[in-house]
Amino acid sequence: MTQHPSIRPLAPACGAEVVGIDLADPSESTMAQLRDALAQHAVVFCLDQHLSPAQQVELTRRFGQVLRVPYIRHLDAHPDIIAVLKEADERKISTFGGTWHSDFSFLDEPPSYTLLYALELPALGGDTLWASQYAAYEALSPGMQRLLDPLRAIQTAWPHGTRGPAPSTAVSRSIGMARNDPSADREVLHPVVRVHPVTGRKALFVNPVYSQRFEGMSEEESRPLLQFLFQHATRAEFSCRLRWAPGTLAIWDNRCLLHMALNDYDGSRRLLHRTTVAGERPVGP
Ligand code: SIN
């Protein structure tokens, strides 16, 4: 059946709502419209979906190879899915994705897209924010752009490594994260500015969770400029915010966005199913 989705932009920098689309078994033309919407808005919110775990994995495959991400527990019955879960009794603890980041940017080939499907939500709170890294790059002065264009930064899976938070640090037990794993200390170099393989636009590609320092510089030397970039990259005018409803599927492009989950719903259960699409090695300007 031909679908005619309506796409409503939510903010100037990124984000669009998609209605009138059924992603349980989409046609190739629906997929093409979705890919176009992603190229234009970077993150899309598909409302009122009814997806089984198997259908979500199948939809994910339509975007590329499904990535089984490291360091996070997967569903036993669906190893391509992570349950992003915080239980009602898990109070005053950090949550998964609660700091601005681009998913798994420490991998040699970080993910292209992430799909997050809402199942159970607090009555209020638990929104997610995204920030356009095209907008962040484009708002910099030409001098700063010229400075950043040739730089590379070291990325590690710091939260899971031997220099990460102590294993006793309170974090949602429901998510099941590896801690203190020496393999997570591995350093990977990626450009600080990456050229998007689909749009050709330049985007900032550093984040406060995984980016440690600039190539050839110490952490201390790198800190002032990194701190500036982390703050600049998440300015409100580069962002959009989603108030989830059960059945909303968010699909976003990690190559040109940062995102974070708001941890403001202690006392409520929040459950979403997350799948990830493998990406490519980032390329600088
Ligand atoms: C994530 O970073 O993938 C989690 C986002 C969320 O729970 O809203």
Side-chain angles (χ1 to χ4, degrees), residues 84 96-97 101 103 116 128 244 252 259 261 270 274:
V84 175
F96 182 67
H101 64 286
D103 283 337
L116 192 60
T128 305
W244 294 92
W252 69 85
H259 64 281
R270 181 177 185 269
R274 209 187 98 133

Side-chain angles (χ1 to χ4, degrees), residues 2-279:
T2 310
Q3 299 183 45
H4 299 287
S6 113
I7 296 172
R8 189 168 73 94
L10 289 182
C14 60
E17 206 171 70
V18 181
V19 291
I21 198 168
D22 177 1
L23 294 174
D25 183 19
S27 65
E28 197 33 55
S29 99
T30 299
M31 289 304 298
Q33 291 178 72
L34 212 49
R35 288 189 202 102
D36 283 353
L38 276 164
Q40 208 175 333
H41 303 287
V43 53
V44 295
F45 310 122
C46 306
L47 309 188
D48 303 322
Q49 299 304 306
H50 300 277
L51 295 176
S52 66
Q55 284 169 325
Q56 183 174 345
V57 173
E58 196 41 48
L59 176 64
T60 307
R61 197 164 287 132
R62 302 284 295 274
F63 287 96
Q65 195 191 327
V66 179
L67 179 68
R68 216 167 269 186
V69 295
Y71 306 122
I72 312 290
R73 187 174 59 218
H74 296 80
L75 290 185
D76 288 342
H78 298 280
D80 292 318
I81 296 181
I82 294 174
V84 175
L85 171 63
K86 194 172 85 137
E87 292 286 4
D89 66 350
E90 295 186 287
R91 292 171 186 271
K92 294 207 161 110
I93 54 170
S94 68
T95 192
F96 182 67
T99 304
W100 287 102
H101 64 286
S102 172
D103 283 337
F104 300 89
S105 64
F106 55 84
L107 293 176
D108 292 312
E109 296 180 343
S112 51
Y113 302 104
T114 300
L115 289 78
L116 192 60
Y117 178 57
L119 296 167
E120 279 182 63
L121 298 164
L124 196 59
D127 294 359
T128 305
L129 280 73
W130 287 263
S132 166
Q133 299 307 288
Y134 294 139
Y137 178 79
E138 287 160 12
L140 293 168
S141 64
M144 180 58 91
Q145 290 177 342
R146 274 195 303 277
L147 176 79
L148 296 178
D149 277 355
L151 294 185
R152 296 197 297 174
I154 283 109
Q155 317 256 351
T156 73
W158 172 86
H160 313 292
T162 60
R163 296 175 65 203
S168 60
T169 309
V171 64
S172 169
R173 66 177 137 73
S174 304
I175 192 78
M177 275 190 206
R179 296 284 207 163
N180 205 24
D181 180 337
S183 76
D185 299 340
R186 193 172 80 94
E187 298 192 339
V188 173
L189 265 176
H190 285 318
V192 166
V193 176
R194 72 183 289 187
V195 179
H196 194 285
V198 176
T199 65
R201 291 173 73 186
K202 289 184 193 175
L204 271 183
F205 194 63
V206 286
N207 68 80
V209 178
Y210 303 125
S211 306
Q212 309 302 333
R213 61 183 193 278
F214 296 109
E215 180 182 26
M217 297 187 208
S218 67
E219 281 182 19
E220 202 179 5
E221 289 166 336
S222 306
R223 197 168 298 126
L225 183 51
L226 277 180
Q227 286 303 338
F228 162 75
L229 291 175
F230 297 157
Q231 288 211 339
H232 170 81
T234 56
R235 268 166 44 180
E237 64 268 38
F238 307 150
S239 75
C240 69
R241 175 171 178 155
L242 173 65
R243 182 165 183 189
W244 294 92
T248 299
L249 173 76
I251 309 172
W252 69 85
D253 188 331
N254 290 291
R255 300 168 292 192
C256 56
L257 290 171
L258 298 183
H259 64 281
M260 69 169 282
L262 283 176
N263 188 15
D264 58 355
Y265 56 95
D266 271 7
S268 299
R269 188 171 205 258
R270 181 177 185 269
L271 172 65
L272 305 96
H273 277 179
R274 209 187 98 133
T275 46
T276 314
V277 183

